[in-house]
Amino acid sequence: MADHHLHDHGLWTHDHYFLGAGHERAERRARGAMTLTAIFMAVEIAAGFLFGSMALLADGVHMATHVGALGLAAGAYWLARRHAGNARFTFGSGKFGDLAAFASAIILGLIAFGVAAESVSRLVFPTPINFASGLPIAVIGLCVNLGSAFLLKDQHHEAEHHHGHAHDHNLRAAYIHVLADAATSVLAIVALSAGWAFGFHWLDPLVGIIGAIVIASWSYGLIRDSGMVLLDAEADPGLAREIRALIEGEMGASIADLHLWRVGPGHSSLIVSLVSPDPVTAQAVKAKLRERHPGLSHVTVEVVVCADCPPAKAG
């Protein structure tokens, strides 16, 4: 009997490969967006030194932060893939992306703060603006950002469609950085055009403040969502309710303890302890849960069979 259990041991083990669908494709696209942005950043900084333009130099340095964020996203994909089979990561390496997204969101928030501070300063203490020189650079910057967004867009929306609420926060962070740059480019084009045509010098810093507020709101949402994943908050309250309904409503057991958290894009882990009045095995409960909810990639079930026990209270 003991030998039989040893031979069947493989049936009870599993890997912890919790990477999102299309992981390698997302990694390639993040690298592509980073390369495209880095090329324009280098051109802009070089032009700033060549023509003695502080505006070009400042925008190039600002773009460098986005290059760093995109590089962070690409690096996180590489690290997650490299360590996917590393046993040191108890629940796999799927959270590398969430860690990168959290760091990227902080960078985005700092950018918003810097843009807002500079814009307020220029609103109070106006400085001369060369609208004719700045406008073409803003247009080229927008084209570069749109190119990067095109690289990331299909993969971003495909991930959302495939995983539902289980977003790839790393890809979302990269996409938001590109959108933030595109939004600031659009606002800059509007402000520079109005300033050139009508002399509205105050419009440039004003749209800078508006852009900073929009970027800060994106940053806050990304920090909140990725931070909740890193803190192992309940991944999906709706899914938790469905699991409770399945176990307590259909199987007639009482849940004593339930923990549901995200371990990677499209992957959730579940630990549940239940008290059942009827004989039922943990394996049967696992099979039922995975049949109904395929996104439960790591499931641990503890069952106590007790016909006379009072209903358990969930904790």
Side-chain angles (χ1 to χ4, degrees):
M1 191 68 166
D3 288 340
H4 173 73
H5 283 299
L6 284 173
H7 289 304
D8 283 349
H9 181 68
L11 298 175
W12 301 90
T13 60
H14 55 272
D15 62 36
H16 293 76
Y17 191 88
F18 300 141
L19 305 185
H23 181 93
E24 292 186 11
R25 184 183 176 200
E27 181 182 346
R28 288 194 301 270
R29 294 198 171 202
R31 282 201 308 264
M34 178 194 70
T35 302
L36 183 61
T37 306
I39 290 171
F40 182 70
M41 173 204 74
V43 169
E44 203 168 31
I45 291 176
F49 279 115
L50 184 62
F51 301 120
S53 170
M54 283 304 298
L56 288 179
L57 191 59
D59 196 57
V61 172
H62 163 77
M63 188 165 280
T65 61
H66 290 293
V67 173
L70 291 169
L72 190 65
Y77 282 122
W78 177 76
L79 284 171
R81 179 168 49 83
R82 183 186 179 194
H83 293 287
N86 191 335
R88 288 189 64 190
F89 298 97
T90 306
F91 288 100
S93 59
K95 285 188 181 179
F96 268 105
D98 296 291
L99 183 60
F102 187 80
S104 190
I106 292 175
I107 294 171
L108 200 63
L110 292 174
I111 290 171
F113 178 80
V115 170
E118 180 65 19
S119 298
V120 169
S121 174
R122 293 194 178 197
L123 196 60
V124 177
F125 305 105
T127 58
I129 301 172
N130 190 331
F131 298 110
S133 299
L135 188 57
I137 297 300
V139 172
I140 295 172
L142 177 60
C143 293
V144 170
N145 292 324
L146 291 177
S148 296
F150 179 77
L151 281 174
L152 298 171
K153 179 183 176 182
D154 291 341
Q155 186 75 19
H156 173 70
H157 289 299
E158 179 183 317
E160 286 195 329
H161 175 74
H162 183 80
H163 299 311
H165 294 291
H167 303 294
D168 183 339
H169 290 134
N170 189 32
L171 187 63
R172 179 183 165 200
Y175 191 54
I176 285 178
H177 269 276
V178 171
L179 287 183
D181 243 7
T184 54
S185 294
V186 169
L187 290 173
I189 290 169
V190 171
L192 290 169
S193 298
W196 195 9
F198 307 109
F200 295 159
H201 288 256
W202 52 267
L203 192 56
D204 184 77
L206 181 61
V207 297
I209 294 171
I210 295 171
I213 293 171
V214 172
I215 294 171
S217 68
W218 289 343
S219 170
Y220 170 75
L222 191 55
I223 287 175
R224 178 195 61 210
D225 295 343
S226 58
M228 291 294 276
V229 173
L230 294 174
L231 291 171
D232 291 330
E234 189 169 77
D236 186 341
L239 177 58
R241 286 193 296 270
E242 291 176 15
I243 291 171
R244 289 180 183 276
L246 173 63
I247 292 175
E248 297 183 338
E250 297 183 28
M251 303 185 73
S254 297
I255 293 178
D257 198 24
L258 187 150
H259 300 280
L260 175 69
W261 72 102
R262 170 180 153 133
V263 290
H267 298 278
S268 294
S269 183
L270 172 70
I271 296 177
V272 61
S273 299
L274 56 93
V275 179
S276 175
D278 304 311
V280 62
T281 65
Q283 197 61 22
V285 176
K286 280 186 181 182
K288 190 74 172 176
L289 286 168
R290 283 179 169 158
E291 176 188 349
R292 191 72 61 85
H293 304 290
L296 294 175
S297 304
H298 190 281
V299 180
T300 302
V301 177
E302 179 186 46
V303 180
V304 175
V305 177
C306 180
D308 300 325
C309 290
K313 294 181 179 179

